[in-house]
Amino acid sequence: MLLKTFGWSFAVTAGGLALAGVLWGWKGLAIVGILSILEISLSFDNAVINAGILRKMNAFWQKIFLTVGILIAVFGMRLVFPVVIVAITAKLGPIEAVNLAINDKEKYEHLVTGAHPAIAAFGGMFLLMIFLDFIFEERDIRWLGWLEKPLSKLGKLDTFSAVIALAVLLVTATTVATDVAHGGGDKSATVLLSGVAGLMTYLIVNGISGFFEDKLEEDEDEEDGEGGADGEDEADEKKPAENGGGRGSSGATVVGLAGKAAFFMFLYLEVIDASFSFDGVIGAFAITNDIFEMALGLGIGAMYIRSLTVYLVRQGTLDDYVYLEHGAHYAIGALAVILLATIKFEINELITGSVGIALIGASYWSSVIRNRREGHGGGAGSEEKTEVTSGV
């Protein structure tokens, strides 16, 4: 199972490190290795979030995520995206931007880091919306019940998440964005515009995917109603036994989303991955300003995140350790705040990665304690409908 899931990651690692050694020697090999570890540490929570979404999709779209998705993640976000940012901010043509990235690395680094306020505002708002929608949602299983229970009541107000996110954006634009470090000056307008764009992107992609997901559920409910008792029995027989033949917490069937619903869910996944990659791309400049070393190192790390996502889905880890998704969403909230803070302040990537790992580790341990208390190895979250809290 482990080799089957991580086989491609191991192969890409071996090939990537060998290529780095041939092209840039021992120094290049070390840089690529460090960048890979940086990407994995920064995006570990991304794998948990991705797994929670990917398990809703059918086998075909899971394969699309692993093939087309990895191409977008590695080449799109780690190689093409920084060049596009330079082209837009410096008002250069695509060829000029590529030439700058290859032949004038210092200026290229300066232009990419100069675009950081806009990148951080966009990614920070998108991730913040993911966190807020999760924390304000009414759910049967709660990790930090003392916090999540009152917040879920506030979440009954429509658009409450968007209002809070806009308030955070206004505070950010009028405080940290007014005097950006390294001679950036006042970036309030840039931060406001980019933050609103991030918020709109989330609302559009998440809204469309949610619409098709709900429509698919309604169609299946209608078919079940028309089929009667015999139809229901037949449908139950077709559902995977390992999932209990039921529905996930989102209401999507365990058979998996397909068609338009899966397509927009796939887009949602890619935007999430893009938002997570922002801090990795910017942070990589502290190690190297060579675009190819950066793409290779971050690409290897991205492969492991994809493999880890699939591993979590196939093992049913999120069902066995029910607080993992909570910890990952809290890590997303922390990353969103950190991204917005980095508009003005320098925050070491080690801190960013450590916060995420610590929160996921705490949620994992709470899940283990809960499983021991309940007297099972996991999976009870899909069987019981009563409210459960960790007692933390």
Side-chain angles (χ1 to χ4, degrees):
M1 177 65 179
L2 189 65
L3 183 60
K4 181 180 179 181
T5 305
F6 288 88
W8 277 107
S9 296
F10 295 152
V12 170
T13 301
L17 292 178
L19 180 62
V22 171
L23 295 177
W24 305 299
W26 288 105
K27 181 180 178 182
L29 189 150
I31 289 174
V32 169
I34 292 171
L35 287 174
S36 302
I37 297 172
L38 171 68
E39 178 68 10
I40 294 171
S41 65
L42 289 176
S43 301
F44 186 82
D45 44 357
N46 189 11
V48 180
I49 297 298
N50 286 351
I53 299 172
L54 192 64
R55 63 178 176 171
K56 302 177 185 178
M57 303 164 73
N58 65 12
F60 171 78
W61 281 99
Q62 289 183 3
K63 291 179 180 178
I64 292 294
F65 174 75
L66 291 175
T67 53
V68 178
I70 194 62
L71 290 176
I72 295 174
V74 175
F75 296 103
M77 289 310 304
R78 275 75 178 180
L79 183 62
V80 177
F81 172 73
V83 177
V84 172
I85 289 295
V86 168
I88 294 174
T89 56
K91 298 180 180 179
L92 300 174
I95 297 177
E96 292 178 284
V98 171
N99 182 63
L100 183 68
I102 296 174
N103 299 317
D104 194 348
K105 298 175 183 177
E106 290 186 3
K107 185 176 181 180
Y108 170 76
E109 177 183 352
H110 175 73
L111 290 173
V112 173
T113 53
H116 177 66
I119 296 172
F122 181 95
M125 290 302 295
F126 190 92
L127 295 177
L128 182 62
M129 280 299 298
I130 295 175
F131 167 70
L132 292 176
D133 271 356
F134 179 86
I135 200 68
F136 288 137
E137 182 183 353
E138 180 67 36
R139 60 187 67 256
D140 296 322
I141 297 177
R142 297 182 177 126
W143 181 30
L144 306 179
W146 57 271
L147 175 63
E148 295 170 13
K149 187 174 182 179
L151 290 179
S152 66
K153 293 180 180 179
L154 292 175
K156 294 179 180 179
L157 300 173
D158 292 339
T159 70
F160 191 69
S161 297
V163 171
I164 295 298
L166 285 172
V168 172
L169 178 61
L170 285 174
V171 171
T172 302
T174 55
T175 54
V176 298
T178 56
D179 185 20
V180 177
H182 307 299
D186 191 343
K187 295 289 184 179
S188 299
T190 299
V191 168
L192 273 175
L193 182 63
S194 300
V196 170
L199 176 61
M200 289 177 59
T201 301
Y202 173 84
L203 293 175
I204 291 171
V205 178
N206 185 59
I208 293 176
S209 62
F211 168 78
F212 284 110
E213 185 179 348
D214 292 340
K215 189 175 185 301
L216 178 64
E217 181 185 352
E218 291 175 3
D219 292 343
E220 290 177 345
D221 288 340
E222 290 178 2
E223 291 178 1
D224 290 342
E226 294 174 0
D230 293 338
E232 289 178 2
D233 292 340
E234 182 179 350
D236 287 339
E237 291 176 3
K238 294 180 180 179
K239 292 174 182 177
E242 65 271 20
N243 289 309
R247 294 180 182 270
S249 59
S250 68
T253 61
V254 296
V255 174
L257 297 177
K260 293 179 181 179
F263 172 72
F264 283 104
M265 193 68 75
F266 170 75
L267 292 182
Y268 181 54
L269 270 174
E270 292 306 312
V271 179
I272 291 177
D273 182 75
S275 300
F276 271 97
S277 70
F278 290 152
D279 58 335
V281 172
I282 298 298
F285 281 106
I287 300 171
T288 180
N289 57 11
D290 188 301
I291 185 174
F292 298 111
E293 288 181 345
M294 194 180 301
L296 187 57
L298 297 179
I300 292 173
M303 281 291 298
Y304 279 97
I305 296 302
R306 281 297 196 278
S307 296
L308 180 58
T309 297
V310 174
Y311 181 81
L312 293 174
V313 172
R314 291 177 177 172
Q315 292 291 102
T317 306
L318 299 185
D319 293 324
D320 293 340
Y321 303 96
V322 295
Y323 300 134
L324 270 181
E325 279 192 279
H326 295 72
H329 280 87
Y330 279 108
I332 281 183
L335 177 58
V337 173
I338 290 173
L339 269 176
L340 295 175
T342 56
I343 292 174
K344 181 175 182 178
F345 306 103
E346 290 188 9
I347 300 178
N348 193 286
E349 288 73 28
L350 181 61
I351 296 175
T352 306
S354 299
V355 169
I357 293 175
L359 287 168
I360 292 177
S363 64
Y364 171 80
W365 183 243
S366 294
S367 300
V368 171
I369 294 175
R370 173 185 179 274
N371 290 343
R372 290 175 178 174
R373 185 173 64 242
E374 297 293 328
H376 56 71
S382 61
E383 298 173 0
E384 58 189 8
K385 292 298 181 181
T386 56
E387 179 182 315
V388 180
T389 62
S390 68
V392 178

